[in-house]
Amino acid sequence: MIYKQFGDLQLSHLGMGNMRLPTQGERGPIDKPKARKVIEYAYEHGVNYFDTAFRYHEGESELFSGEVLTQYPRDTWNLASKFPGHMLRREGEKLVFTGFGESRLEYFDSIQQIFQMQLEKCRVDYFDFYLLHGLAESSYDFYNDPDIGIIEYLLSEKKAGRIKHFGFSSHARAESIEKYLTQWEGIFELVQIQINYLDWSLQNARAKYETIKKHGLAVVAMEPVRGGRLAKLPAEAEAMLKAARPNDSPAAWALRFLQSLPGMTVILSGMTEIEHAIDNVAVLSKDDPASAEDKALLQKVVDTMTNSVPCTACRYCCEGCPKSLDIPKLISLYNEAAHDKALFGIGAVLRAMGEGEMPSACIACGECVKLCPQEIDVPDAMKKFADMIANPPPSPFG
């Protein structure tokens, strides 16, 4: 296993994300014998970073992670969990967790009660890594509310030694991540973002990565194979990769892409099957990052998988818009939504936008088209995006 230096720690380059443990059926409870086998294989082959969260597996991930990991000496593994502020709301003096749906709300008296519950569920006295979960445009105000005092409280737990290292996970846009890191300069030590060779351009993960590195923080990658999509490619795309490296799995290509990024600390993989663990461990146990030629090939693979509106963000269109819409931002969001056929990845951004900033505010005057060097039919894209928002597909999470 390759290890990366983080302060005085040596962290395994491959981390295990416990959001997608094996289950009994598609959405059933954790299949404990299978899940235990995967976690134990990872640990016994050098993985020492394990990631969980309050909501994962309907609240069972923290319990099971603690159950399995505590059989090993505490100083041989690092556990990361997260404060679920992105799924909390305030009702009077109570904090209400909404992540299990309105039919299963959970009420808490304080931040401390939630944090203490997580320690007990995980069977630990401290978290090696503790993150604000889902710090994004829609959750910023809650996390930043001085009357709630989330960050202040968690920093007090860090001072007390019950949090060793503090960070946040985020699906926010790059400019938002810059805002958070500038406001809270010196507070966070790592940032966990969705990053892979598809989202490098589709979600502008490159800008997010470069922002985090500019602030001198460690990057933890989540969704390296994009929920499995980059592990099982369309036939044309997979054939291109097999022709170049016949013995490599599609997932290996995705991991090697991230391995090539300087400063990438931990690459979290949600290993659902033992075969995933075997392959992932093998890939990140050797120094074999993607080359420039490999990356060029991966871009060709991306081109076969996307049909994006070719906006270059020159912003000429904005000069003529009578509604002052941020058209490049809206097109970027539209491309992402159109690729996924869902709004999950951009939901936080949309919830933070005002009515006048939405694609539905477009009056189809056509002034933007006259100014666009790419001759993009912006009004048509805005109409399609507005229709998507008005009629979203069912959530993949139920």
Side-chain angles (χ1 to χ4, degrees), residues 350-365:
L350 294 177
R351 289 191 294 275
M353 291 168 60
E355 190 173 323
E357 300 173 285
M358 299 291 276
S360 55
C362 173
I363 59 174
C365 66

Side-chain angles (χ1 to χ4, degrees), residues 1-6 8-17 39 41-51 69 76-79 129 190 218-221 259 263-269 271 280-281 283-286:
M1 176 59 58
I2 294 171
Y3 293 89
K4 296 292 182 175
Q5 195 74 35
F6 179 91
D8 60 354
L9 297 176
Q10 288 280 318
L11 299 179
S12 56
H13 203 24
L14 173 64
M16 180 159 184
I39 294 174
Y41 182 91
Y43 174 86
E44 291 162 8
H45 288 80
V47 173
N48 67 9
Y49 189 103
F50 297 85
D51 174 88
L69 290 173
T76 63
W77 46 272
N78 299 281
L79 182 63
F129 295 87
L190 72 159
V219 181
V220 175
Q259 189 184 34
M264 178 62 67
T265 303
V266 176
I267 302 170
L268 289 175
S269 179
M271 297 175 274
N280 289 185
V281 165
V283 173
L284 292 181
S285 290
K286 56 187 176 183

Side-chain angles (χ1 to χ4, degrees), residues 133-170:
H133 199 168
L135 177 57
E137 292 82 358
S138 61
S139 62
Y140 169 80
D141 288 344
F142 188 85
Y143 276 125
N144 198 42
D145 189 333
D147 293 331
I148 302 173
I150 294 171
I151 293 178
E152 292 78 4
Y153 172 77
L154 295 177
L155 287 175
S156 74
E157 289 289 6
K158 183 179 179 185
K159 186 175 181 180
R162 300 209 296 175
I163 294 172
K164 301 299 183 183
H165 302 284
F166 190 37
F168 66 87
S169 72
S170 185

Side-chain angles (χ1 to χ4, degrees), residues 150-363:
I150 294 171
I151 293 178
E152 292 78 4
Y153 172 77
L154 295 177
L155 287 175
S156 74
E157 289 289 6
K158 183 179 179 185
K159 186 175 181 180
R162 300 209 296 175
I163 294 172
K164 301 299 183 183
H165 302 284
F166 190 37
F168 66 87
S169 72
S170 185
H171 290 275
R173 317 311 280 183
E175 58 268 25
S176 298
I177 292 175
E178 171 65 35
K179 171 184 173 181
Y180 310 149
L181 293 178
T182 299
Q183 176 180 348
W184 292 306
E185 193 76 52
I187 288 178
F188 299 114
E189 299 168 78
L190 72 159
V191 182
Q192 181 174 313
I193 57 169
Q194 178 169 320
I195 182 169
N196 51 65
Y197 67 79
L198 175 61
D199 288 322
W200 190 245
S201 55
L202 187 65
Q203 288 195 3
N204 202 12
R206 177 175 185 164
K208 301 179 191 183
Y209 167 81
E210 290 174 349
T211 296
I212 297 163
K213 295 309 300 175
K214 181 184 74 174
H215 284 267
L217 307 186
V219 181
V220 175
M222 57 179 161
E223 304 291 359
V225 294
R226 222 175 192 263
R229 293 184 188 183
L230 301 183
K232 189 172 177 60
L233 298 170
E236 178 187 0
E238 185 163 349
M240 292 166 66
L241 299 184
K242 283 293 183 186
R245 291 175 66 113
N247 296 324
D248 281 11
S249 67
W253 280 86
L255 296 179
R256 291 178 54 248
F257 171 80
L258 293 177
Q259 189 184 34
S260 73
L261 302 180
M264 178 62 67
T265 303
V266 176
I267 302 170
L268 289 175
S269 179
M271 297 175 274
T272 307
E273 304 289 341
I274 190 65
E275 291 78 14
H276 300 164
I278 293 170
D279 185 46
N280 289 185
V281 165
V283 173
L284 292 181
S285 290
K286 56 187 176 183
D287 186 18
D288 186 22
S291 64
E293 292 77 11
D294 291 334
K295 291 180 181 179
L297 179 57
L298 287 172
Q299 183 56 55
K300 292 180 181 178
V301 167
V302 168
D303 292 342
T304 70
M305 297 170 64
T306 59
N307 184 24
S308 300
V309 176
C311 175
T312 62
C314 68
R315 305 193 68 81
Y316 294 158
C317 55
C318 298
E319 297 172 11
C321 180
K323 292 295 184 177
S324 299
L325 290 173
D326 189 339
I327 295 170
K329 175 182 177 180
L330 290 171
I331 289 178
S332 173
L333 293 170
Y334 169 69
N335 282 339
E336 189 175 332
H339 175 75
D340 287 338
K341 309 302 181 190
L343 303 179
F344 173 74
I346 62 171
V349 181
L350 294 177
R351 289 191 294 275
M353 291 168 60
E355 190 173 323
E357 300 173 285
M358 299 291 276
S360 55
C362 173
I363 59 174

Side-chain angles (χ1 to χ4, degrees), residues 99-113:
F100 302 139
E102 290 296 318
S103 63
R104 190 186 152 192
L105 297 176
E106 295 195 3
Y107 293 80
F108 298 93
D109 294 323
S110 65
I111 302 165
Q112 181 179 6
Q113 184 184 3

